[in-house]
Structures are given as C-alpha cells and as structure tokens.
Amino acid sequence: DVKVTQSSRYLVKRTGEKVFLECVQDMDHENMFWYRQDPGLGLRLIYFSYDVKMKEKGDIPEGYSVSREKKERFSLILESASTNQTSMYLCASSLLQGNTIYFGEGSWLTVV
Amino acid sequence: RKEVEQDPGPFNVPEGATVAFNCTYSNSASQSFFWYRQDCRKEPKLLMSVYSSGNEDGRFTAQLNRASQYISLLIRDSKLSDSATYLCVVSPYGGSQGNLIFGKGTKLSVKP
C-alpha cells in the first residue's frame, strides 16, 4: 500500500512565525502535491512537483513556498504565517500526473 | 461554469436505500475520472475510478457520459458506514500535463 506520511498532525503557531510542513511518500512516486481544504471551498492546490527540485504553482500559491530536495520528500513552507492560513493541509502523491493520487492524513494548522 | 460541479447535499437517506450522485465537468478534453470518499476530518481516499464503459464494485456503480460531460455514482443498499462526503475528481488532460480537479463534494448521511 502507498504510504504518505505527514509528520506534523496538529500545530498551533503564532502570526509571523515560519512554519514547515513535511511530507514523505514511500512508493517512489514522481509527483507530489500540497492542498489545503477549508469548509465550503473544497480542496485547493497550493503547489505540486513532478520531479526533484521541480515545482509548479497551483491555484493558491501566495504566502507559500515548497521544497523538494529528495524524491520522497516534499515540504510546504509558510514564510510568515497569517491567521487566514489556518486550515487543514493535505499532502498527496501520484505515480503519473492525471492518475490516482494518495493522500496523507492531513496537518491541522491553527495560526493565532 | 465551475470546472467540476457537484450537488453539496446533504443527502439524508435511510439504511437500505439507493442513492445517486451526479457530477458535471466543464472541460470536454478531460481524460480520467474518479470518485473519492472523505470521512469527517480525514483524508480523501480513492473509492473507484470511472471508465467509459461504466464499472461496478459491489454496491457501488460509476458511470461516465462524455457527451453530456457528467459522471454518476450509484450506491445500492446503503449502510450506516457509507456516511461520508463523496468527491468527484477529474483530470483535465491526459499524459504528462494533467492535474486532478476536485469537486467540493456531496455529503451523504445514512440513518438507521
């Protein structure tokens, strides 16, 4: 089975703090994704990566950056957290673009 | 027109009922189609892919109508455990350029 692991499940951060969300997948998938999910807005793509050191902006990249130094690891960075970034963040991976994606369990971030 | 549109529900049905969800998509070039299931405060998980010929998995049947650009999910003999949000997912392109577009989900509540 595909395993996507998000190491931080619940975080509370202060406004202005730098936040790192880490994600690791164990199936040698090429593609990795970061989404956020908010009530009434559904899943929104922040960034995705189709290869090591490659990244593409999704629908809502503002206020976020990403890093993919190794194939299995994709990090989401909030340079200066703001209260409107309070959300559930979901990491996902897929073997090929357009194919089934597999999600991690999610990271619940609260910015106060 | 939204890229992937679903009736948000909630659909409240008794155990044993048959329930159907529809989903419309705007991009006629879409190649891949999926239904995901998401339990409350959990990550989405693949329920089934949707093939042009239609496909069935136990009590679940998925259909694709390319001419009308909609996908359906039929659940027969509903169980309490079917209560969840069902996400319609579409890949707008084939090959290497596609990313999945998620509908906002249809909430199903199965009552005793």
Side-chain angles (χ1 to χ4, degrees):
Chain A
D1 281 351
V2 176
K3 185 70 174 177
V4 180
T5 303
Q6 294 180 234
S7 52
S8 301
R9 295 294 316 282
Y10 301 94
L11 307 93
V12 179
K13 297 292 182 180
R14 294 191 183 278
T15 300
E17 276 193 82
K18 192 169 186 176
V19 181
F20 292 88
L21 298 179
E22 304 285 343
C23 175
V24 177
Q25 51 95 2
D26 66 357
M27 285 301 292
D28 202 34
H29 282 175
E30 303 295 328
N31 305 294
M32 296 189 74
F33 308 83
W34 276 105
Y35 292 87
R36 66 177 281 178
Q37 187 173 33
D38 302 285
L41 297 178
L43 279 160
R44 293 182 290 168
L45 181 64
I46 305 171
Y47 268 97
F48 69 97
S49 168
Y50 53 88
D51 202 353
V52 175
K53 297 191 185 296
M54 305 302 288
K55 61 184 180 184
E56 293 282 345
K57 292 180 179 179
D59 300 318
I60 52 163
E62 297 79 17
Y64 304 94
S65 62
V66 291
S67 172
R68 193 163 181 204
E69 296 296 319
K70 294 184 178 181
K71 190 175 185 180
E72 68 271 17
R73 189 178 297 269
F74 192 35
S75 302
L76 180 70
I77 303 147
L78 287 67
E79 294 289 343
S80 177
S82 61
T83 54
N84 63 11
Q85 292 178 310
T86 292
S87 186
M88 177 181 181
Y89 290 87
L90 286 159
C91 176
S93 72
S94 72
L95 182 60
L96 298 171
Q97 288 193 38
N99 270 30
T100 307
I101 69 171
Y102 300 89
F103 288 90
E105 291 182 308
S107 298
W108 293 87
L109 172 66
T110 301
V111 183
V112 298
Chain B
R1 184 179 175 184
K2 295 178 185 176
E3 291 191 78
V4 177
E5 202 154 356
Q6 298 182 247
D7 182 340
F11 283 58
N12 298 306
V13 302
E15 268 188 294
T18 295
V19 61
F21 307 137
N22 288 327
C23 164
T24 57
Y25 60 94
S26 59
N27 189 333
S28 60
S30 297
Q31 296 290 324
S32 305
F33 308 89
F34 310 90
W35 284 101
Y36 277 69
R37 171 197 167 123
Q38 186 173 24
D39 293 299
C40 187
R41 297 182 67 83
K42 299 285 189 179
E43 75 276 21
K45 293 183 179 179
L46 178 68
L47 178 66
M48 56 198 307
S49 301
V50 186
Y51 304 119
S52 296
S53 56
N55 47 303
E56 188 174 308
D57 183 3
R59 298 181 293 109
F60 299 84
T61 300
Q63 296 279 352
L64 168 63
N65 185 319
R66 285 190 183 273
S68 301
Q69 294 179 212
Y70 79 82
I71 308 144
S72 64
L73 177 68
L74 183 76
I75 305 175
R76 291 181 298 278
D77 189 24
S78 299
K79 311 292 185 190
L80 296 176
S81 57
D82 294 334
S83 296
T85 296
Y86 291 84
L87 304 174
C88 173
V89 186
V90 174
S91 173
Y93 309 106
S96 62
Q97 298 301 314
N99 280 309
L100 299 182
I101 307 296
F102 286 79
K104 292 183 180 178
T106 298
K107 187 172 182 179
L108 171 66
S109 182
V110 181
K111 306 292 187 183

